[in-house]
Amino acid sequence: MIKLRENEYKTLLIIKRLGGKASAEQITSESGLPDATVMRAALALQEKNLVRILEEKRTIVELNDEGKFHARRGLPERRLINALISLGGRAPLEKAVKKAKLEKQFIPIALGWLKRKNWAVLDVKTNTLQLSGKPKKEEADEELLKLLNEKKRVVEDLPLELQSAVKILKRRKLLKIEEKTKRIIEITDTGWKTIKKGIRATAEVTQLTPELIITGKWRKVKFTRFDVTAPGPVVYPAKIHPVQQIIQRVKEIFTEMGFTEIRGPIVETAFWNFDALFQPQDHPAREMHDTFYLAYPKTGRLPKKSIVNRVAKTHEDGWKTGSTGWRYHWNPEEAKKLILRTHTTATTIRYLADHEKPPIKVFSVDRVYRNEKMDYKSLAEFHQIEGIIMDKNVTLRDLIGTLKEFYLKLGLKRVRFWPSYFPYTEPSAQSTFHVPKLKKWFELCGMGVFRPEVTAPLGVKYPVLAWGGGLERLIMLKLSVDDIRLLYKNDLDWIRRTAVCQ
Ligand code: PHE
């Protein structure tokens, strides 16, 4: 005779009654106990070797909107082939499409699958569609489509042929797929033997009441031992997106360090984004494939004449800055062009033009845009952390010290500074962060002291320390994410799992 805790006893008897094997849901509904209690009891019984818990992965599929659409009308290739057959097996593509009443966006899909399924070929020269095989009345993918149109199904329960059709429809993006784990609890041989010998529930007290104390009964009763390490139900409280949390932290840190936040326009003139930063007008970064230009309106306004003239002169021959300039004819039309800012240095330089007097300590965390292909390491829209310090006697060492402090507050210790180059700073440097696992240094941000070619045309007389760099890279390092797209794809699972501290 062995003694079991009440819930374990109950659970074991229910499984026995259900034939020795039952799913967690079945036990929950039979016993009226909460999910977590049943699972805890099952785990305890497993510990005693009385049951074993089997996990079965189940994949549930249903049609998405496009899937439902095709389920109603037929797959695009089926509609097109039916039309072709009724047109005698050979017809101009246009005619067959019309006959099939096929929507424009499905034409390439239909053609692709006609070829793959070997139903018809398109003669590209004459644009004629020709029947090439004998299409079956219904293929596995169509059968599955019909089936799923009735209701969702468990993939593992489908016949093998339809399971492969799931893969096809999944690739065609016609399905919604959900993975679930089903837990089955089964009585073991030891379990059956033990039940035969007899089991009993011990009455356990789960709560110490005043009555138990006053009457002294507490001395005799048996208290339930709580296993505080046992898994309970997971709770996901509402929280701020990890990216936003880090942005907030970055802003907090700069504010703590005495900086003020500034913001500037996203749609910017090339003047502030490039020209004011002494980037020549034929600089490769200005090309369409790197920068987004606005189609409408195409141009914006330049600042006051005095600034424009001095910037123009500096580009052409260096003006009074001691530089020789870039030695070309500066074109105001090029500078008027509207773009999406490619860096937030456009924002700090704009600010500087309006604030020539020291001291200045400002920062910005904001969006920038570059015409880049999206992949695991780049996005076309991302954030930069940027800032400037202007004061009478500041030097690059002050900048390095400030940024070291910033990174330290953010929890990054292994940061190094290397010499670098930017058209608008001299000297220039770059900060990098070391990831031991990858044995690699990652670039964090560029920095330097603005050149006189940048500051003099704005009437600024003191050294200006400037820095700027990508925010996402920093977030990826902090959160150990190796694909930048994860940060913005609203993957709820990742968002829930990701704890951001500091
Ligand atoms: N604007 C530079 C970039 O986008 C960074 C930078 C800012 C460099 C300020 C020097 C000074 O990479």
Side-chain angles (χ1 to χ4, degrees):
M1 177 77 67
I2 87 161
K3 282 185 185 169
L4 294 174
R5 286 213 202 119
E6 184 111 26
N7 290 338
E8 295 166 25
Y9 177 78
K10 244 190 193 172
T11 303
L12 191 59
L13 284 189
I14 287 172
I15 306 173
K16 180 180 164 234
R17 201 170 71 226
L18 293 171
K21 194 172 171 182
S23 68
E25 292 95 68
Q26 269 174 309
I27 303 170
T28 306
S29 75
E30 288 281 320
S31 64
L33 297 172
D35 278 347
T37 309
V38 168
M39 272 325 287
R40 229 174 300 139
L43 282 170
L45 290 170
Q46 178 166 257
E47 194 91 333
K48 295 183 179 119
N49 243 329
L50 303 179
V51 303
R52 85 173 67 83
I53 303 173
L54 310 166
E55 295 199 336
E56 230 176 63
K57 289 250 177 293
R58 292 158 69 83
T59 318
I60 294 155
V61 278
E62 61 183 313
L63 296 180
N64 63 18
D65 288 342
E66 192 179 329
K68 283 184 199 145
F69 180 85
H70 292 322
R72 262 183 276 124
R73 303 250 175 140
L75 286 170
E77 67 272 22
R78 177 62 75 184
R79 290 164 63 194
L80 197 55
I81 200 73
N82 284 345
L84 186 64
I85 291 170
S86 71
L87 288 169
R90 185 180 169 86
L93 175 62
E94 231 171 277
K95 207 166 157 193
V97 166
K98 207 162 171 196
K99 174 112 192 139
K101 296 205 179 76
L102 194 63
E103 299 75 9
K104 214 168 153 202
Q105 72 269 32
F106 296 135
I107 300 173
I109 299 175
L111 287 176
W113 284 95
L114 282 183
K115 195 166 163 200
R116 257 173 114 159
K117 290 187 171 171
N118 212 0
W119 287 357
V121 281
L122 179 71
D123 179 359
V124 273
K125 271 198 213 121
T126 57
N127 223 16
T128 319
L129 210 50
Q130 165 75 50
L131 201 64
S132 61
K134 245 208 186 140
K136 266 200 278 170
K137 265 230 183 77
E138 188 179 63
E139 301 256 333
D141 51 356
E142 293 170 301
E143 195 186 323
L144 178 65
L145 202 62
K146 241 204 245 158
L147 205 65
L148 293 180
N149 202 27
E150 289 162 21
K151 63 174 204 272
K152 48 170 106 168
R153 307 274 165 163
V154 176
V155 175
E156 288 77 7
D157 293 346
L158 293 173
L160 275 183
E161 200 194 17
L162 292 187
Q163 292 196 20
S164 353
V166 168
K167 287 191 199 121
I168 300 174
L169 295 190
K170 182 182 169 193
R171 238 189 301 136
R172 293 182 73 159
K173 298 207 170 70
L174 303 179
L175 300 180
K176 266 193 261 176
I177 298 187
E178 203 187 338
E179 305 276 351
K180 277 202 173 144
T181 313
K182 187 173 173 186
R183 293 198 173 82
I184 309 274
I185 299 148
E186 185 183 28
I187 300 178
T188 58
D189 289 345
T190 323
W192 285 117
K193 278 184 206 143
T194 313
I195 293 173
K196 246 192 208 140
K197 278 191 223 146
I199 51 172
R200 241 182 46 201
T202 52
E204 285 187 353
V205 173
T206 50
Q207 209 171 9
L208 184 61
T209 57
E211 200 218 323
L212 283 173
I213 300 173
I214 296 164
T215 56
K217 273 194 192 147
W218 64 271
R219 280 179 223 275
K220 286 179 223 126
V221 297
K222 192 164 172 355
F223 288 102
T224 301
R225 288 171 76 99
F226 288 115
D227 178 2
V228 291
T229 64
V234 188
V235 178
Y236 296 112
K239 68 173 178 195
I240 294 172
H241 191 284
V243 170
Q244 277 310 315
Q245 286 193 49
I246 296 187
I247 291 180
Q248 281 180 6
R249 182 70 195 125
V250 165
K251 291 185 177 181
E252 245 170 53
I253 294 176
F254 278 121
T255 315
E256 279 166 15
M257 292 173 69
F259 286 81
T260 306
E261 185 179 355
I262 58 167
R263 300 196 71 178
I266 287 174
V267 173
E268 187 53 282
T269 50
F271 182 85
W272 289 117
N273 197 85
F274 298 120
D275 295 280
L277 289 164
F278 197 52
Q279 294 209 48
Q281 294 189 326
D282 61 359
H283 194 281
R286 296 199 185 208
E287 299 273 340
M288 289 283 221
H289 52 78
D290 285 323
T291 302
F292 289 115
Y293 283 83
L294 258 67
Y296 182 82
K298 258 191 166 38
T299 54
R301 237 175 291 141
L302 293 180
K304 58 183 179 203
K305 269 229 171 72
S306 53
I307 289 188
V308 176
N309 288 343
R310 280 180 250 148
V311 167
K313 201 88 176 86
T314 308
H315 275 241
E316 289 178 351
D317 60 19
W319 184 51
K320 288 198 301 207
T321 62
S323 164
T324 55
W326 295 112
R327 303 188 166 269
Y328 69 108
H329 178 68
W330 188 82
N331 180 2
E333 294 313 310
E334 194 59 43
K336 276 186 198 159
K337 286 187 181 162
L338 284 176
I339 60 167
L340 297 182
R341 70 174 165 215
T342 64
H343 55 183
T344 37
T345 319
T347 297
T348 43
I349 198 69
R350 236 177 201 284
Y351 182 85
L352 200 61
D354 283 336
H355 302 79
E356 315 93 271
K357 297 254 153 21
I360 287 178
K361 273 178 94 175
V362 295
F363 77 97
S364 105
V365 184
D366 235 325
R367 274 177 222 204
V368 298
Y369 300 79
R370 287 185 197 172
N371 196 353
E372 283 194 73
K373 274 223 180 71
M374 281 219 283
D375 63 16
Y376 71 97
K377 61 176 179 4
S378 2
L379 295 175
E381 175 182 7
F382 56 100
H383 290 83
Q384 280 194 328
I385 307 177
E386 186 95 25
I388 48 173
I389 300 173
M390 189 231 290
D391 213 341
K392 287 187 178 135
N393 290 310
V394 289
T395 66
L396 191 68
R397 292 178 65 125
D398 296 295
L399 181 54
I400 291 177
T402 304
L403 288 181
K404 254 195 190 151
E405 176 79 15
F406 166 74
Y407 291 129
L408 207 62
K409 281 176 178 265
L410 207 60
L412 303 180
K413 289 194 193 83
R414 304 196 60 185
V415 178
R416 285 224 184 124
F417 296 80
W418 309 93
S420 186
Y421 172 80
F422 298 96
Y424 32 96
T425 49
E426 179 60 35
S428 304
Q430 190 191 109
S431 58
T432 53
F433 174 73
H434 191 253
V435 180
K437 212 171 87 194
L438 302 174
K439 295 201 181 99
K440 254 170 124 174
W441 288 90
F442 285 93
E443 194 187 321
L444 285 175
C445 81
M447 71 196 75
V449 185
F450 275 149
R451 301 177 75 104
E453 291 94 324
V454 173
T455 49
L458 305 178
V460 171
K461 304 211 167 55
Y462 300 99
V464 179
L465 313 177
W467 77 90
L471 169 84
E472 280 78 2
R473 170 64 63 78
L474 205 77
I475 297 179
M476 288 166 76
L477 289 172
K478 270 200 75 76
L479 301 183
S480 303
V481 166
D482 50 20
D483 187 331
I484 193 168
R485 292 168 293 198
L486 183 60
L487 303 182
Y488 296 111
K489 81 176 186 190
N490 287 333
D491 176 339
L492 276 187
D493 197 40
W494 176 75
I495 296 173
R496 281 177 173 155
R497 267 189 290 114
T498 304
V500 182
C501 27
Q502 271 238 335

